[in-house]
């Protein structure tokens, strides 16, 4: 693991953030997952199987694409896209799912459960469960099953059972609650495949490690084509899995600016936002000490974003640490800006990117023109946008049949 | 001897649970008094939380009713203060970590001390993460109640050794709420606990019938009943009668 994570004597922490704040019922199981992960993360057979699946099944390495049209149009820094949208299942989520499912398999588990927001993580989990011949149950907020119907059907097609979660605000946060509860009911044969860089240790570390393939590749690729490191790496942040994967290999390279784009919803100054780092405060929830949107009483806020994947009141503990130590910068992007970017990248580059990823694209549109032409930005396109087409049409007042 | 621990001397303890401000301030105060008058040895008062991951649908619904009534932490303290005018029944809080953390661990414990709160049950704060809070529960002489689950296994000994007041033995897997069957691990687990500590053990999660209370009380030093009481309060059934039946049966 990275040196910075060992600065705290308790290696479950990133600086002051992290830990394992979870009911006692799950602690033994969590320790088993930690032990298994420690054992396999350096095991040559495990790593070989992981690599083979990533390359042959998930279509890695993903492309690093020079966005010439956008670069010229914006008139500043060169813009490269790291194309996680071209992965099998259409998003970065598969990287982590393959890794965690391989751990689950080695632990003798036969059943995978997972939360999902936009549905991308649920689809990836259902996909690998099908491949491995495992049972699969997915928890998804009712709001999200309604706005991402296509992904619900995809999961069912892959053999998973999808549970619409009707508690709380019925979005990603509540899906995590429901999955944690389901896990406390049945641990013996069940592995919780956590999709974001959140939750109790060792999940943030596993997600970091399995998603770091993004920046391992992008670093090699940019050195190949440009002969130097990028000046900025930009990624969207909900819980922060694609962002941590996009940042990981550059954290030690102090000259590379790391920028996470949070969902500001209707604006960071409104209560319809999910901009956790900009607006949140330290709290303890979902197994971790991190930054959360919450009230003065410690009640977790309902959050809002047009993007079901960024609609989360917390953020991974490593991001909280990167923010507090100012190694990374986090900015809020509104619904309007993200939707504009969704249309912009489609028309300029012929890429329909996920609305989540378009939060990062929107920031690149602001950032690139402020940088000179010899500078380089790598922006992660975490997923493809097919799933969003209907809801963006609706946002623009067009009702299309799904 | 610890004050909570003393309660278990020569008797099985009945520990009912109610959610603060469900459905309102006055009713909660009255329910605490009713329970105290009808055999409750300790009352566990739940501080509502937006995302109670250890709780099943009945307590989740109670939390929502409390939020509807406008509950906040200071109001929960006011409820205890009001109840304290009429009863000295030992009270422990059930609180999720973030409530106490956000209030400030020290300020929270100090307030508990002022209100004569004897213990804290914190379902999402396992032994390894208790250090920061423990500093202040110790300072203000409040028992940090340890939970032991059917899955605790190798952790049983170290948790039991750290226990104060009483040990909350989780009866079965899953979240709070009525059930008919309890873990086969209960007896062997309690036996292992007893080998290393004198701290009494109370079983909770899922107990609702008088017979269950009686049977499980034979395995342990006390029983905790939550969802069944919360449900009964919600349905407007006779709390005094139920509490009486349970306390007589155990």
């Amino acid at each position: 693991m990275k040196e910075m994570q060992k600065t705290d004597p308790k290696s479950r922490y990133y600086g002051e953030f992290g830990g394992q704040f979870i009911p006692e019922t799950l602690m033994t199981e969590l320790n088993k997952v930690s032990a298994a992960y420690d054992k396999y993360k350096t095991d040559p057979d495990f790593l070989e199987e992981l690599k083979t699946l990533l390359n042959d099944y998930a279509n890695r390495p993903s492309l690093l694409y020079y966005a010439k049209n956008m670069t010229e149009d914006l008139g500043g820094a060169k813009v490269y896209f790291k194309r996680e949208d071209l992965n099998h299942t259409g998003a970065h989520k598969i990287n982590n799912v393959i890794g965690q499912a391989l751990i689950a398999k080695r632990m003798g588990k036969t059943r995978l459960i997972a939360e999902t927001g936009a549905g991308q993580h649920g689809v990836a989990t259902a996909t690998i469960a099908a491949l491995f011949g495992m049972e699969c149950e997915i928890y998804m907020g009712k709001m999200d099953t309604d706005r991402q119907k296509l992904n619900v059907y995809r999961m069912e097609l892959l053999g998973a059972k999808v549970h619409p979660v009707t508690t709380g605000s019925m979005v990603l946060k509540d899906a995590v609650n429901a999955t944690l509860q389901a896990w406390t009911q049945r641990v013996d044969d069940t592995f919780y495949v956590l999709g974001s860089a959140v939750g109790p240790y060792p999940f943030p570390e596993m997600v970091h490690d399995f998603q770091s393939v993004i920046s391992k590749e992008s670093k090699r690729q940019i050195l190949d084509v440009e002969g130097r490191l990028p000046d900025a790496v930009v990624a969207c942040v909900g819980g922060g899995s694609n962002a941590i994967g996009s940042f990981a290999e550059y954290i030690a390279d102090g000259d590379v600016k790391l920028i996470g784009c949070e969902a500001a919803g209707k604006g960071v100054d409104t209560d319809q936002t999910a901009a956790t780092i900009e607006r949140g405060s330290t709290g303890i929830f979902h197994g971790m000490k991190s930054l959360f949107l919450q009230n003065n009483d410690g009640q977790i806020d309902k959050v809002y974003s047009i993007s079901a994947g960024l609609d989360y009141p917390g953020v991974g503990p490593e991001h909280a640490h990167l923010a507090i130590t100012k190694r990374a910068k986090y900015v809020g992007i509104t619904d309007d800006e993200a939707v504009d970017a969704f249309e912009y990248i489609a028309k300029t580059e012929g890429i329909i990117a996920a609305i989540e990823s378009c939060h990062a694209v929107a920031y690149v549109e602001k950032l690139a023109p402020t940088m000179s032409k010899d500078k380089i930005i790598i922006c992660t396109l975490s997923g493809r946008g097919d799933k969003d087409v209907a809801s963006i049409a609706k946002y623009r007042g067009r009702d299309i049949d799904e | 001897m610890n004050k909570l621990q003393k309660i278990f001397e020569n008797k099985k303890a009945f520990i009912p649970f109610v959610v603060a401000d469900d459905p309102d301030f006055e009713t909660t105060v009255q329910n605490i008094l009713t329970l105290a008058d009808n055999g409750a040895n300790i009352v566990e008062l739940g501080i509502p939380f937006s995302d109670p991951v250890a709780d099943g649908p009945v307590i989740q619904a109670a939390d929502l009713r409390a939020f509807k009534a406008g509950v906040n932490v200071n109001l929960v303290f006011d409820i205890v203060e009001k109840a304290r005018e009429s009863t000295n029944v030992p009270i422990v809080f059930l609180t999720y970590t973030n409530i106490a953390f956000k209030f400030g661990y020290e300020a929270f414990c100090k307030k508990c001390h002022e209100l004569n709160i004897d213990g804290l049950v914190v379902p999402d704060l396992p032994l390894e993460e208790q250090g920061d809070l423990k500093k202040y529960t110790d300072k203000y002489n409040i028992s940090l109640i340890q939970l032991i689950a059917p899955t605790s296994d190798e952790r049983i000994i170290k948790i039991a050794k750290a226990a104060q007041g009483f040990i909350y033995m989780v009866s079965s897997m899953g979240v709070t709420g009525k059930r008919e069957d309890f873990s086969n691990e209960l007896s062997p687990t309690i036996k292992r606990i007893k080998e290393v500590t004198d701290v009494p053990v109370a079983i909770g999660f899922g107990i609702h019938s008088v017979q269950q209370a009686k049977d499980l009380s034979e395995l342990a030093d006390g029983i905790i009943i939550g969802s069944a009481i919360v449900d009964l309060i919600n349905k407007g059934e006779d709390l005094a009668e139920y509490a009486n039946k349970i306390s007589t049966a155990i």
Side-chain angles (χ1 to χ4, degrees):
Chain A
M1 279 315 300
K2 303 286 158 297
E3 277 311 305
M4 57 156 286
Q5 291 166 31
K6 298 290 183 194
T7 51
D8 195 289
K10 292 190 282 180
S11 62
R12 308 187 304 274
Y13 278 79
Y14 302 86
E16 67 173 297
F17 302 107
Q20 293 180 303
F21 298 86
I22 209 83
E24 173 57 27
T25 306
L26 289 173
M27 281 302 287
T28 296
E29 189 60 25
L30 209 53
N31 289 339
K32 285 182 190 166
V33 174
S34 295
Y37 183 59
D38 276 345
K39 180 175 167 192
Y40 293 116
K41 71 181 176 190
T42 53
D43 176 72
D45 289 342
F46 173 82
L47 294 172
E48 187 57 37
E49 194 177 354
L50 175 64
K51 192 178 164 195
T52 304
L53 280 165
L54 286 175
N55 291 351
D56 300 353
Y57 188 72
N59 196 30
R60 301 210 72 86
S62 70
L63 299 175
L64 183 72
Y65 164 72
Y66 172 50
K68 187 164 173 282
N69 295 346
M70 241 179 95
T71 300
E72 281 171 6
D73 184 56
L74 296 172
K78 289 173 96 166
V79 177
Y80 283 86
F81 287 122
K82 182 62 177 159
R83 300 288 308 272
E84 295 300 304
D85 58 318
L86 299 179
N87 296 342
H88 179 42
T89 72
H92 70 290
K93 293 291 187 189
I94 192 101
N95 305 331
N96 168 55
V97 171
I98 290 175
Q100 286 196 33
L102 282 175
I103 299 283
K105 206 167 109 180
R106 278 168 170 72
M107 289 177 75
K109 305 293 185 187
T110 55
R111 179 171 174 262
L112 302 180
I113 57 172
E115 85 294 345
T116 198
Q120 297 303 92
H121 176 60
V123 167
T125 306
T127 298
I128 298 304
L131 181 70
F132 288 2
M134 291 166 131
E135 246 183 275
C136 183
E137 295 190 34
I138 303 294
Y139 295 82
M140 186 171 184
K142 174 79 168 46
M143 277 273 291
D144 296 336
T145 54
D146 288 346
R147 60 181 162 174
Q148 298 287 351
K149 287 183 191 135
L150 199 61
N151 271 343
V152 174
Y153 191 69
R154 285 168 82 194
M155 290 182 264
E156 287 169 353
L157 207 55
L158 292 158
K161 185 167 167 42
V162 180
H163 301 273
V165 176
T166 55
T167 51
S169 37
M170 300 189 252
V171 293
L172 181 55
K173 166 188 82 130
D174 312 285
V176 174
N177 291 347
T179 320
L180 281 170
Q181 295 201 336
W183 203 25
T184 63
Q185 242 134 46
R186 190 169 157 188
V187 293
D188 286 347
D189 62 347
T190 301
F191 191 98
Y192 180 2
V193 182
L194 223 166
S196 196
V198 302
Y201 177 85
F203 285 107
E205 181 180 318
M206 283 198 287
V207 174
H208 168 115
D209 291 357
F210 291 132
Q211 292 295 0
S212 67
V213 67
I214 299 172
S215 51
K216 282 195 178 101
E217 288 174 8
S218 77
K219 196 173 200 176
R220 200 176 59 232
Q221 290 164 324
I222 199 76
L223 287 172
D224 275 354
V225 292
E226 293 281 353
R228 69 177 190 88
L229 295 180
D231 299 284
V233 175
V234 183
C236 63
V237 178
S241 67
N242 95 81
I244 207 65
S246 303
F247 295 170
E249 290 299 305
Y250 300 105
I251 291 173
D253 301 316
D255 291 339
V256 180
K257 289 195 178 67
L258 306 175
I259 301 146
C261 304
E262 297 193 296
K266 306 230 159 121
V268 286
D269 299 326
T270 71
D271 58 1
Q272 304 245 306
T273 182
T276 306
I277 291 177
E278 216 165 330
R279 281 272 310 275
S281 60
T282 304
I284 294 171
F285 180 54
H286 278 168
M288 58 182 173
K289 187 175 194 182
S290 192
L291 296 170
F292 296 95
L293 290 167
Q294 56 183 328
N295 70 11
N296 290 334
D297 240 19
Q299 309 292 350
I300 305 301
D301 282 345
K302 289 183 165 59
V303 294
Y304 166 81
S305 161
I306 188 173
S307 147
L310 304 181
D311 202 344
Y312 184 71
V315 69
E318 193 176 359
H319 283 297
H321 180 64
L322 291 171
I324 295 282
T325 57
K326 302 204 183 319
R327 175 61 192 97
K329 176 175 135 177
Y330 295 83
V331 297
I333 297 295
T334 63
D335 284 1
D336 280 344
E337 291 170 322
V339 171
D340 285 348
F342 185 88
E343 292 165 344
Y344 176 74
I345 183 177
K347 293 198 167 71
T348 323
E349 291 291 344
I351 297 171
I352 295 178
I355 189 67
E356 288 77 18
S357 318
C358 290
H359 286 71
V361 175
Y363 188 70
V364 169
E365 287 183 60
K366 297 182 191 180
L367 179 66
T370 68
M371 294 165 73
S372 60
K373 291 187 177 181
D374 57 341
K375 302 290 185 196
I376 300 166
I377 299 171
I378 296 179
C379 171
T380 300
L381 293 185
S382 55
R384 66 179 182 225
D386 312 43
K387 67 180 177 59
D388 300 309
V389 171
S391 61
I392 299 298
K394 201 167 165 193
Y395 190 85
R396 290 300 191 212
R398 283 266 298 274
D399 199 14
I400 55 175
D401 211 345
E402 272 189 79
Chain B
M1 186 189 273
N2 176 293
K3 190 178 150 202
L4 279 178
Q5 196 166 340
K6 230 182 176 107
I7 294 161
F8 293 78
E9 278 184 322
N10 309 318
K11 64 167 176 283
K12 304 280 185 182
F14 166 43
I15 310 171
F17 167 87
V18 294
V19 171
D21 214 27
D22 166 35
D24 57 43
F25 188 102
E26 287 305 327
T27 312
T28 308
V29 172
Q30 190 50 53
N31 287 338
I32 294 169
L33 301 182
T34 302
L35 289 164
D37 289 344
N38 289 277
N41 303 106
I42 300 169
V43 173
E44 187 188 358
L45 186 63
I47 303 179
F49 184 49
S50 54
D51 298 81
V53 289
D55 286 303
V58 170
I59 293 174
Q60 285 181 30
D63 283 0
L64 289 180
R65 288 192 295 272
F67 284 121
K68 214 169 166 187
V71 71
N72 60 55
V73 181
N74 283 310
L75 193 112
V76 177
F77 293 146
D78 292 346
I79 287 173
V80 177
E81 203 173 323
K82 183 80 185 161
R84 280 279 172 254
E85 290 172 8
S86 319
T87 182
N88 280 318
V89 70
I91 298 177
V92 298
F93 276 141
L94 175 291
T95 179
Y96 283 83
T97 309
N98 202 43
I99 303 280
F101 176 78
K102 190 73 180 167
F103 198 87
Y105 284 153
E106 172 149 32
F108 189 86
C109 292
K110 187 164 180 276
K111 189 72 196 177
C112 288
H113 178 74
E114 287 163 15
L115 293 168
N116 198 11
I117 294 290
D118 294 297
L120 296 180
V121 179
V122 193
D124 58 348
L125 192 66
L127 185 66
E128 288 79 349
E129 303 289 355
Q130 288 170 2
D132 292 347
L133 177 59
K134 184 83 172 18
K135 228 188 310 182
Y136 300 110
T137 52
D138 282 352
K139 180 174 173 186
Y140 291 99
N141 201 20
I142 297 157
S143 298
L144 187 52
I145 308 299
Q146 300 294 336
L147 288 99
I148 291 181
T151 47
S152 291
D153 197 22
E154 287 171 9
R155 302 169 49 78
I156 294 171
I157 307 288
K158 67 175 174 185
I159 298 173
K161 282 183 173 164
Q164 307 167 311
F166 66 90
I167 289 169
Y168 194 129
M169 177 69 220
V170 178
S171 73
S172 38
M173 299 299 286
V175 293
T176 57
K178 283 184 191 177
R179 32 172 98 22
E180 301 311 321
D181 297 308
F182 300 98
S183 170
N184 296 327
E185 295 297 321
L186 275 182
S187 273
T189 302
I190 292 169
K191 194 163 161 263
R192 285 170 73 183
I193 295 170
K194 293 292 180 190
E195 282 165 12
V196 295
T197 182
D198 296 329
V199 174
V201 178
I203 303 176
F205 274 41
I207 304 170
H208 57 100
S209 73
V210 174
Q211 190 60 44
Q212 286 176 328
K214 187 170 160 39
D215 293 347
L216 290 174
S217 70
E218 279 162 21
L219 296 179
D221 306 299
I223 54 140
I224 304 159
I225 302 186
S227 295
I229 286 177
V230 169
D231 195 31
L232 185 147
I233 291 169
N234 184 40
K235 289 177 178 153
E237 290 167 14
D238 194 335
L239 185 62
E241 188 195 336
Y242 180 80
N244 240 316
K245 270 193 203 158
I246 299 285
S247 63
T248 316
I250 65 174

